[in-house]
Amino acid sequence: MPENSKQKILIIAGIILVSFNLRPALASVGPLITEIRNATGLTSSLLGLLTTLPLLCFGILSTMTPWFTRKIGLEGTVAFALLLITGGLLIRVPGTVPHLYAGTFLIGVGIALGNVLLPGIVKRDFEKYSGIMTSIYSSMLGVGAAVAAGISFPLAIKAGLGWRWSLGIWFIPAFLAFIVWIPQLKRNRRSSQSKSVFAALKHLSGSKMAWSIALFMGLQSFAFYVILAWLPDILISEGFNAGRAGWLLSVSQAAGVIGSFIIPAVAERMKSQRSLVLGLSVLEAVSIIGLMNGTESLVLIMVILIGFSLGGSFGLALLFIVLRTNDTETTTELSGMSQSVGYLLAAFGPMMMGAFYDISGSWTIPLAMLLFIVMLKCFFGIYAGNDQKIDRNNQQ
């Protein structure tokens, strides 16, 4: 752990603020989809790209994180990530299609770096408290998403900011996180990791456990970003107004905060996490079926269930990265592999969902697709829940 109480407080505060800022740039888009569509004329498929593009960045650039840490250090890379997120948010403000996609690309690069590095920081500085620290930072990811989803539409309409500044105002907490992170640069050291990015991936490619964790994370993220991007539109198609649909997305994200806080803390105390994977999968399946067939009175329950199950699954995926490795280097490698493979898989979700809706004119087929994703996720998650470590020499 950091050497003294002041350092501990600063690193915990830094982790909390970094985590908070890794989701608002994405979560603020869904409630404003109608306004963005009306202003730009983009189709549902291209609007889905506003969520898909960052995921592609996550998938491709996650593999490059060790290169950044060798060049500018772990703490330096986190600071660089926060500046990219801040800049990308400001670039999106003019609201033209090129500005939207260019800003979103920079945001995606910044979030990709932050995503990969947080598990390694927890492993290095809080190994004895990995469960509670994973709960804290994974739940703060959810808090950021919930707040952005809940207030983006009111900021745009009721506060009069318009959709452009409602998207862009999140540069303020991102820059604040950068300021709070600056003290960590005093202990910044370039990584001594000698492996190339592709050698690191090759090192884990023979591990069934590594692949199970990567695919569990990817399928969880596939469903999460589909819900993040399209839940408001799904609810609007069922008769809810845009304000209430955005509020229900916020409720879903808030339930995800609870799930991502509770599940890792509980899971750390369990020898095997297979029963948790199964239970979360059942909750998610029930909620999707409820969204397909439920009445208006059941919608609130369904969005809470799907939020809790997705948040819990995400926290569990992050904890698997820490629990299944023996050292910080392997943790960072597994984090990079899991998030690269996982987010490349997840990137298909929002755009595919939008395309299926454009073709069918209904959300029934896209939601049925999510049920299939739940079954696959459960399969890989149950293997990832086995109590075993990834052996550096004898891959498991």
Side-chain angles (χ1 to χ4, degrees):
M1 290 184 69
E3 294 177 2
N4 56 50
S5 296
K6 184 178 179 180
Q7 287 179 330
K8 292 177 187 177
I9 292 170
L10 284 173
I11 187 63
I12 291 172
I15 289 171
I16 287 172
L17 286 173
V18 172
S19 303
F20 177 89
N21 282 284
L22 295 181
R23 293 297 178 268
L26 305 179
S28 58
V29 173
L32 299 171
I33 281 288
T34 300
E35 283 67 30
I36 298 171
R37 180 189 286 119
N38 292 339
T40 62
L42 292 171
T43 64
S44 294
S45 298
L46 291 176
L47 286 167
L49 188 58
L50 289 175
T51 302
T52 296
L53 183 58
L55 298 180
L56 289 172
C57 291
F58 298 173
I60 295 169
L61 293 170
S62 291
T63 62
M64 296 182 64
T65 305
W67 182 87
F68 282 97
T69 59
R70 286 199 302 272
K71 296 296 182 181
I72 60 176
L74 190 152
E75 286 79 10
T77 303
V78 173
F80 179 58
L82 291 168
L83 289 177
L84 286 174
I85 294 169
T86 302
L89 286 162
L90 288 172
I91 287 172
R92 291 203 303 195
V93 170
T96 67
V97 172
H99 280 95
L100 282 174
Y101 287 121
T104 298
F105 172 76
L106 289 181
I107 289 165
V109 175
I111 296 174
L113 296 174
N115 279 341
V116 173
L117 293 178
L118 282 178
I121 293 171
V122 169
K123 182 76 172 181
R124 183 193 66 186
D125 292 339
F126 303 96
E127 185 170 12
K128 293 181 179 178
Y129 306 95
S130 58
I132 187 62
M133 286 304 299
T134 300
S135 290
I136 288 171
Y137 88 76
S138 62
S139 62
M140 287 308 298
L141 290 167
V143 169
V147 172
I151 71 173
S152 290
F153 187 80
L155 284 175
I157 306 303
K158 295 182 180 179
L161 292 182
W163 66 267
R164 294 169 179 83
W165 271 110
S166 184
L167 289 179
I169 199 169
W170 301 102
F171 88 91
I172 296 174
F175 189 69
L176 175 62
F178 170 75
I179 297 298
V180 173
W181 190 258
I182 286 176
Q184 303 307 318
L185 298 179
K186 294 179 181 179
R187 61 182 187 134
N188 186 49
R189 296 289 185 276
R190 294 185 183 183
S191 171
S192 60
Q193 184 179 3
S194 59
K195 280 190 182 75
S196 70
V197 173
F198 295 105
L201 288 175
K202 185 179 180 180
H203 165 236
L204 294 175
S205 63
S207 168
K208 292 181 182 179
M209 177 60 73
W211 278 109
S212 294
I213 293 171
L215 291 170
F216 178 72
M217 173 169 275
L219 293 166
Q220 183 281 333
S221 297
F222 185 106
F224 174 83
Y225 286 104
V226 162
I227 294 299
L228 191 67
W230 293 116
L231 182 61
D233 240 31
I234 293 170
L235 297 175
I236 289 170
S237 72
E238 295 178 359
F240 291 86
N241 62 48
R244 182 163 169 77
W247 176 79
L248 285 168
L249 176 61
S250 181
V251 170
S252 175
Q253 295 302 304
V257 172
I258 297 171
S260 60
F261 186 83
I262 292 174
I263 296 300
V266 172
E268 185 189 24
R269 296 178 174 88
M270 302 172 68
K271 187 174 182 180
S272 166
Q273 293 78 32
R274 290 176 294 180
S275 60
L276 279 178
V277 171
L278 181 59
L280 290 168
S281 299
V282 170
L283 284 181
E284 188 177 343
V286 168
S287 63
I288 292 170
I289 293 170
L291 287 175
M292 293 171 67
N293 302 301
T295 62
E296 183 174 337
S297 61
L298 290 176
V299 165
L300 179 59
I301 296 173
M302 295 303 106
V303 299
I304 289 173
L305 286 180
I306 200 166
F308 181 88
S309 58
L310 288 173
S313 297
F314 180 64
L316 195 56
L318 293 175
L319 186 65
F320 283 156
I321 293 172
V322 177
L323 291 182
R324 302 299 177 244
T325 54
N326 288 306
D327 55 80
T328 301
E329 182 177 346
T330 309
T331 301
T332 302
E333 289 176 8
L334 179 58
S335 181
M337 175 184 173
S338 297
Q339 299 197 52
S340 177
V341 173
Y343 284 124
L344 283 175
L345 178 61
F348 290 98
M351 203 168 179
M352 185 184 299
M353 191 84 155
F356 282 170
Y357 176 75
D358 285 339
I359 293 169
S360 67
S362 166
W363 289 108
T364 301
I365 292 176
L367 287 171
M369 176 186 70
L370 283 187
L371 281 176
F372 177 67
I373 296 298
V374 172
M375 290 186 287
L376 285 178
K377 180 174 69 173
C378 184
F379 174 80
F380 291 110
I382 286 175
Y383 188 88
N386 286 315
D387 180 26
Q388 64 184 58
K389 300 278 188 180
I390 295 174
D391 191 310
R392 294 182 64 83
N393 301 310
N394 183 21
Q395 300 287 299
Q396 294 183 18

